[in-house]
Amino acid sequence: MSLIEARDVYKTYTLGSQKFNALDGVSLVIEKGEYIAIMGPSGSGKSTLMHIIGCLDTPTAGQYLFKDRDITSLSDHELAQLRNSEIGFVFQSFNLLARISAFKNVEMPMMYARRSAAERGRKVDAALERVGLTGRRNNKPNELSGGEMQRVAIARALINDPAIILADEPTGNLDSRTGVEIMKLFDDLARQGNTLILVTHDAGVARHARRVVRIVDGRIETGDRPAQVESLEGPLGDAERPVSVPRNP
């Protein structure tokens, strides 16, 4: 049984009298323990594919199986439970709650899962230690650097021991040096056996993955080795250039 399987998936949107396929017959298999980058230019369908993989949306046609369960058969409540217990999300904008501490931000998914206070305390402290933030547990997001906020987001993603960690442009709001540190953390998580899916248009980020899936115009074109990856965005001015993170040895 594969961890994730998309079978001829379509996602269709209606714009006025026109229909537009954001995903146009996508088929994809992801096994447990894989480290994958989904790469494509703006408007390619990679964000739509991310939303379906993360059970934030459902296909218009085709099947998406998560641990052999067809997500189109699940209720909204069941999908919410699946997201909280099985999928850890890391976003470009961090998505932290501004008025609560790093500890409380990481704890939040465990509270939704109704874990005991004692278990929450143990696991949150362990997750913050894992990402190198033991001394920052009581700091609020506005007291943290961008890299520290992303580490809090990663600790939160890990807290319920999810089946996959889904990261959307995880270095997009970071400077180059901090981006290198965050990608090293993802590399460490991959070596520990976590299943990682990065969604990016940055070739430097994609090269960290062990497999790169290219999507263009809603269709998967190739699955390349990282060394073959080049940017799909075309030339960018310096002010618009995404963080490009060199691969660690």
Side-chain angles (χ1 to χ4, degrees), residues 10 57 70 78 109 116 123 169 178 188 193:
Y10 288 80
D57 204 350
D70 188 343
E78 288 172 324
S116 70
K123 290 201 69 175
E169 302 286 3
T178 306
D188 291 342

Side-chain angles (χ1 to χ4, degrees), residues 12 14 22 43 89 104 108 118 124 127 132 137-138 149 165 187 200 208 213 215-216 230 249:
T12 304
T14 301
F89 293 95
K104 291 294 185 182
M108 196 66 66
V124 173
R137 70 194 301 276
N138 295 321
M149 285 193 284
I165 298 169
D187 293 345
T200 186
H208 282 253
V213 174
I215 183 166
V216 178
E230 296 179 357

Side-chain angles (χ1 to χ4, degrees), residues 27-244:
S27 294
L28 177 67
V29 174
I30 299 174
E31 305 291 348
K32 182 179 179 181
E34 282 206 83
Y35 187 7
I36 289 178
I38 297 173
M39 190 178 182
S42 299
S44 62
K46 66 181 185 296
S47 294
T48 303
L49 181 57
M50 181 198 74
H51 289 158
I52 288 177
I53 290 174
C55 299
L56 296 166
D57 204 350
T58 54
T60 304
Q63 279 188 307
Y64 172 51
L65 305 179
F66 189 102
K67 287 189 171 179
D68 218 29
R69 297 173 72 189
D70 188 343
I71 68 161
T72 59
S73 68
L74 303 182
S75 67
D76 289 345
H77 178 68
E78 288 172 324
L79 284 171
Q81 286 186 317
L82 187 151
R83 287 193 298 269
N84 191 56
S85 62
E86 298 280 15
I87 304 169
F89 293 95
V90 179
F91 296 101
Q92 177 178 344
S93 56
F94 317 131
N95 284 18
L96 302 179
L97 297 177
R99 296 184 180 181
I100 62 176
S101 66
F103 183 98
K104 291 294 185 182
N105 268 285
V106 175
E107 182 187 35
M108 196 66 66
M110 294 192 76
M111 295 183 70
Y112 291 141
R114 299 184 178 181
R115 307 288 180 86
S116 70
E119 183 184 4
R120 296 199 306 266
R122 287 194 305 271
K123 290 201 69 175
V124 173
D125 282 338
L128 288 171
E129 182 178 2
R130 191 174 180 183
V131 299
L133 287 180
T134 300
R136 308 292 271 167
R137 70 194 301 276
N138 295 321
N139 292 83
K140 294 179 180 179
N142 65 357
E143 299 169 327
L144 301 172
S145 68
E148 288 171 335
M149 285 193 284
Q150 194 62 293
R151 287 175 183 271
V152 172
I154 292 169
R156 181 184 58 192
L158 292 167
I159 197 66
N160 279 335
D161 302 312
I164 65 170
I165 298 169
L166 185 57
D168 181 21
E169 302 286 3
T171 65
N173 280 342
L174 304 175
D175 61 75
S176 295
R177 185 180 69 177
T178 306
V180 169
E181 294 171 356
I182 292 300
M183 292 313 302
K184 182 179 184 301
L185 180 54
F186 278 117
D187 293 345
D188 291 342
L189 293 173
R191 281 191 289 269
Q192 293 162 15
N194 294 280
T195 305
L196 301 180
I197 304 170
L198 308 180
V199 179
T200 186
H201 67 265
D202 186 340
V205 169
R207 288 192 188 100
H208 282 253
R210 296 169 190 159
R211 176 159 67 107
V212 177
V213 174
R214 295 173 181 260
I215 183 166
V216 178
D217 295 332
R219 297 180 181 181
I220 289 178
E221 292 204 330
T222 58
D224 295 328
R225 296 193 307 273
Q228 296 173 307
V229 176
E230 296 179 357
S231 174
L232 296 180
E233 285 290 89
L236 295 173
D238 289 341
E240 300 176 328
R241 190 175 302 280
V243 174
S244 188

